[in-house]
Amino acid sequence: MALTPRTERMIDRAVELLNSNNNHEALRLFDLVIAESDLQGLEYGKATALARLGNIDEAVITLKKLLRLIPNHPKAQLFLVELLASERSIQLAEKNYARRSKEENRQSQWLPSNLYPDDVFLVSYPKSGNTWVRFLLANLLKKEDEEIDFFSVHQHIPEVGSHEQIINSLTRPRIMKSHAPFIREYTKVIYLVRDGRDVYVSYYYHRLKQLPKRFDFFSFLQRRDHYPCRWGEHVASWTMSKDCSNLLVVKFEDLKSDCFKQMDRILKFLNVNRPKHRIEKAIEASSFENMKRIESEKGRLYKKEGPEVFMRKGITGDWKNYYGTKEKDYYKSFEGQLLIKLKYEKDNNW
Ligand code: PPS
């Protein structure tokens, strides 16, 4: 079919808009041309704009429609697979973990030997700031005038699966650290989230000692054996779950911007009362600089297995130094949707 000069101009303009990331306008124009002509290939441009705007459901419908009309459209096929993988990891996480039996959870060491109804679990994907919150809480819960360090913190808030003896000696209500993906048996949970892009950078440095020499960040990002699973799967399993009735979600980024406010939320959740000056003192004692000093002066437990320096940077947005086009594209295909759901991004246009 011959195109009218007007249609040609509209298509050129829509592609131009897409290339300059003006996705709202591009979408409007694609819709217009599609309505006026029967150029099915344009659905691909429309799907791209939709996905970048975070409307994955519509993008998937558009691609499926295109593939019904032109089954052999390699770019559309690939794009559809990527989008579905991103959505699937969220849905899978919701289903998989809710189905796990108590025995499986016990075997994977996510459960202490006995459970009490008032047990609290401080849960996070690795490298999301768990140690920071443990320091904050330990500084608020400690009785004597002790300095919380990288040894004593385990006495106050031990980790499930590693510190069984300490856990058994805690007074109730107990607070325990865990990296478990969703687990039904945890009935009161503080779930700590950090932007997944920053988490992978932090995790990369955490693992560097065990990785082959000159293993680059992109190769790390692509690994399929992240412990205990991928960031998105973990975060989705908790934040999208409807099965945990007593869940408080706290963001690392909010702790950075207003630690007092977040501590206030956490303490209310725990039904713990502390005067303002105690909270401020705990925040100061748990500042990045102070924890870094404590680490360098006193060392820490698990130093041999872990990174040389635990208190690495403690900032938000470090990912920008590590993600070029290929890292971004790869990341988006897995976890781009979750970043939007968690309001780290407005759309996939970053
Ligand atoms: S672990 O090993 O899974 O328990 O790690 P986790 O404690 O969850 O996360 C480690 C990252 O948290 C940073 N951190 C802090 N940031 C800001 N302020 C304070 N006080 C703080 N304490 C720890 C720590 O530096 C790690 O992040 P990166 O980005 O690697 O610096």
Side-chain angles (χ1 to χ4, degrees):
M1 185 192 75
L3 298 181
T4 66
R6 181 181 125 82
T7 310
E8 265 182 25
R9 270 200 311 277
M10 279 165 76
I11 295 172
D12 287 347
R13 180 70 189 134
V15 172
E16 210 177 284
L17 286 165
L18 202 58
N19 289 341
S20 60
N21 267 337
N22 190 343
N23 299 303
H24 278 291
E25 268 307 292
L27 181 60
R28 198 184 60 77
L29 260 189
F30 277 122
D31 270 337
L32 217 66
V33 196
I34 290 168
E36 285 183 10
S37 64
D38 58 351
L39 292 167
Q40 292 130 3
L42 293 179
E43 303 277 359
Y44 182 79
K46 177 178 171 175
T48 308
L50 281 166
R52 285 189 191 163
L53 290 167
N55 195 345
I56 303 297
D57 291 346
E58 274 296 308
V60 166
I61 293 170
T62 308
L63 286 172
K64 282 184 175 166
K65 182 175 155 200
L66 171 60
L67 286 167
R68 265 197 308 275
L69 298 164
I70 314 173
N72 193 15
H73 191 305
K75 275 166 88 178
Q77 286 167 346
L78 194 69
F79 195 16
L80 183 62
V81 168
E82 279 179 3
L83 291 182
L84 289 177
S86 168
E87 278 297 273
R88 207 165 34 235
S89 67
I90 296 178
Q91 289 159 2
L92 268 183
E94 281 178 70
K95 286 200 193 99
N96 278 353
Y97 295 111
R99 269 206 305 258
R100 255 181 350 199
S101 72
K102 192 164 184 174
E103 196 41 44
E104 281 172 293
N105 286 329
R106 214 175 275 298
Q107 275 163 16
S108 46
Q109 299 207 312
W110 296 130
L111 286 176
S113 56
N114 53 353
L115 272 169
Y116 297 110
D118 55 356
D119 280 342
V120 181
F121 294 88
L122 175 62
V123 185
S124 61
Y125 189 76
K127 311 317 288 177
S128 303
N130 201 304
T131 315
W132 183 11
V133 178
R134 286 164 93 201
F135 263 69
L136 284 161
L137 289 175
N139 272 300
L140 280 163
L141 300 173
K142 65 179 187 174
K143 288 203 179 75
E144 302 120 54
D145 200 16
E146 62 165 316
E147 181 182 64
I148 298 297
D149 57 34
F150 288 84
F151 297 90
S152 62
V153 72
H154 303 293
Q155 302 293 328
H156 291 274
I157 301 160
E159 180 167 2
V160 177
S162 305
H163 307 132
E164 192 59 31
Q165 259 188 336
I166 307 173
I167 289 176
N168 287 333
S169 68
L170 286 181
T171 52
R172 288 171 58 186
R174 314 182 295 184
I175 307 179
M176 294 162 269
K177 168 194 173 174
S178 171
H179 285 313
F182 179 79
I183 176 167
R184 208 183 306 110
E185 289 81 4
Y186 294 2
T187 47
K188 187 161 183 174
V189 172
I190 300 170
Y191 188 71
L192 189 59
V193 196
R194 184 182 190 185
D195 185 323
R197 295 165 295 187
D198 279 335
V199 164
Y200 283 120
V201 173
S202 179
Y203 214 174
Y204 171 64
Y205 283 100
H206 185 91
R207 286 255 183 270
L208 211 52
K209 255 203 296 202
Q210 296 127 25
L211 294 171
K213 267 208 172 95
R214 283 189 284 281
F215 202 76
D216 65 13
F217 175 68
F218 187 50
S219 310
F220 178 75
L221 197 58
Q222 289 174 296
R223 279 178 84 122
R224 286 167 189 273
D225 59 350
H226 293 285
Y227 172 84
C229 54
R230 287 195 67 91
W231 174 85
E233 202 181 328
H234 199 280
V235 173
S237 80
W238 281 105
T239 59
M240 307 290 146
S241 158
K242 291 144 202 105
D243 295 320
C244 183
S245 53
N246 218 350
L247 173 77
L248 180 78
V249 177
V250 177
K251 280 184 170 169
F252 176 92
E253 294 73 16
D254 294 339
L255 278 167
K256 286 285 296 181
S257 62
D258 193 344
C259 197
F260 190 92
K261 189 171 166 191
Q262 296 310 313
M263 283 317 291
D264 191 46
R265 287 180 70 219
I266 293 175
L267 292 179
K268 281 191 177 119
F269 182 73
L270 295 174
N271 294 319
V272 170
N273 257 322
R274 288 291 179 272
K276 192 170 175 236
H277 73 271
R278 275 284 312 270
I279 303 176
E280 284 167 349
K281 221 169 139 195
I283 292 175
E284 213 176 291
S286 314
S287 70
F288 182 85
E289 294 70 26
N290 200 46
M291 285 175 64
K292 196 169 176 67
R293 174 191 65 75
I294 295 171
E295 182 190 4
S296 69
E297 282 176 15
K298 296 195 184 171
R300 59 172 216 273
L301 203 64
Y302 305 130
K303 183 168 168 141
K304 233 169 88 195
E305 304 90 331
E308 219 33 64
V309 178
F310 186 84
M311 298 300 291
R312 195 184 61 91
K313 280 191 181 174
I315 58 171
T316 60
D318 194 25
W319 65 267
K320 290 179 186 136
N321 299 315
Y322 294 83
Y323 287 64
T325 309
K326 70 173 189 279
E327 288 82 2
K328 283 182 181 177
D329 285 348
Y330 182 80
Y331 187 85
K332 282 177 198 175
S333 73
F334 275 95
E335 296 173 349
Q337 273 318 96
L338 199 53
L339 283 187
I340 298 169
K341 287 200 164 115
L342 295 169
K343 302 200 172 11
Y344 281 111
E345 292 292 346
K346 280 202 303 293
D347 50 42
N348 263 326
N349 195 12
W350 49 271

